[in-house]
Amino acid sequence: MTPLTASGTPPASPGLRVRDLARTRGTAPALRELLGAPVLQALPHAPHGFALLPLNDPERPEGPERPDGPKRASAPEHPVEALRTYPLPGGPVALVRVPRPGPGDRRAQPFDPSALLWLRLGLAEGLLHSCVGHLGGRPSGDSTVLLQPLVKAQLAEAAAEQAEFAAWLGGGLADGVPASRLRRPHDRLTRNGRALLRLFGAHGFMAEGPGGVAHVSELLADVHQDVEGAR
């Protein structure tokens, strides 16, 4: 029997919760949910020694940084150095280098491959929603860019691709599949995000806006997949 929440509805699956957070609140909150623990006490380990981590959790504020030293996101047992920080909607995310895990290290397990796809789908859906709002506010003659037939067709195609992808994930077809065999689904999400960025126009290249979100989404696929294992 499926357990019910206090409201009498079945609880959302981890993948659906991650997707919803990515779509409505951004990358950092979704990554915190995906990690499922205080971020720096349960670092994910990617195949190539890099990871993307959320920073500045309001519930666990970080201490002040040394003005003369490198930016760090660290815990005493797992010191890591932030190589680059991305100021995204919902909070900043950092690309970090983490040491290779030893036997029994809690970082030895990477992100759940299917949950990572749910996260990237949520980010793509958020981009679509932002794109509709952005184009709806751009005048074009007596109307808006959103109502141009070609633009509507491209948005409809992007939305249909996302709906199809959600149905595929919801059917459990990615559950238990090794990350090395999920390159094509990730490529589909990458193409979907890039198509939406083109509709944003120049606004799509903003690092703190849609361009940054799409770039970090692609980076998630790159650093948390064993690409070599897929060859």
Side-chain angles (χ1 to χ4, degrees):
M1 179 180 294
T2 303
L4 300 179
T5 64
S7 62
T9 59
S13 70
L16 291 177
R17 289 197 298 272
V18 168
R19 172 196 184 184
D20 184 60
L21 283 170
R23 181 178 66 245
T24 60
R25 294 180 56 192
T27 310
L31 280 174
R32 291 190 188 98
E33 178 70 20
L34 189 57
L35 284 164
V39 170
L40 294 166
Q41 300 294 331
L43 292 176
H45 180 70
H48 308 294
F50 298 92
L52 278 161
L53 298 178
L55 298 179
N56 300 334
D57 185 343
E59 296 181 2
R60 289 184 290 275
E62 299 173 349
E65 296 174 351
R66 289 171 44 196
D68 58 341
K71 292 184 178 181
R72 287 191 176 272
S74 62
E77 58 179 316
H78 296 314
V80 294
E81 182 175 335
L83 304 177
R84 183 172 179 180
T85 301
Y86 300 88
L88 302 178
V93 172
L95 175 67
V96 303
R97 187 193 303 274
V98 295
R100 296 287 182 181
D105 195 313
R106 281 177 291 175
R107 292 170 296 126
Q109 294 299 318
F111 284 152
D112 175 70
S114 63
L116 187 59
L117 286 169
W118 279 115
L119 190 156
R120 293 197 67 209
L121 172 62
L123 293 177
E125 292 172 328
L127 280 177
L128 176 61
H129 178 78
S130 297
C131 189
V132 170
H134 176 72
L135 297 177
R138 290 185 58 191
S140 177
D142 296 330
S143 184
T144 65
V145 174
L146 178 64
L147 297 181
Q148 293 180 0
L150 181 58
V151 171
K152 289 196 295 183
Q154 291 175 308
L155 287 171
E157 182 178 358
E161 289 174 348
Q162 292 178 7
E164 180 183 343
F165 197 91
W168 177 78
L169 271 179
L173 297 179
D175 295 348
V177 178
S180 60
R181 295 177 56 190
L182 292 174
R183 185 74 238 183
R184 286 188 178 181
H186 277 290
D187 287 345
R188 287 182 61 189
L189 289 173
T190 294
R191 289 193 297 270
N192 186 271
R194 290 180 180 180
L196 289 171
L197 287 186
R198 288 193 292 270
L199 288 172
F200 274 106
H203 183 67
F205 293 94
M206 294 182 62
E208 298 184 13
V213 173
H215 176 64
V216 167
S217 176
E218 293 185 27
L219 200 55
L220 276 168
D222 290 337
V223 301
H224 290 291
Q225 281 197 113
D226 186 0
V227 179
E228 293 179 357
R231 295 173 181 172

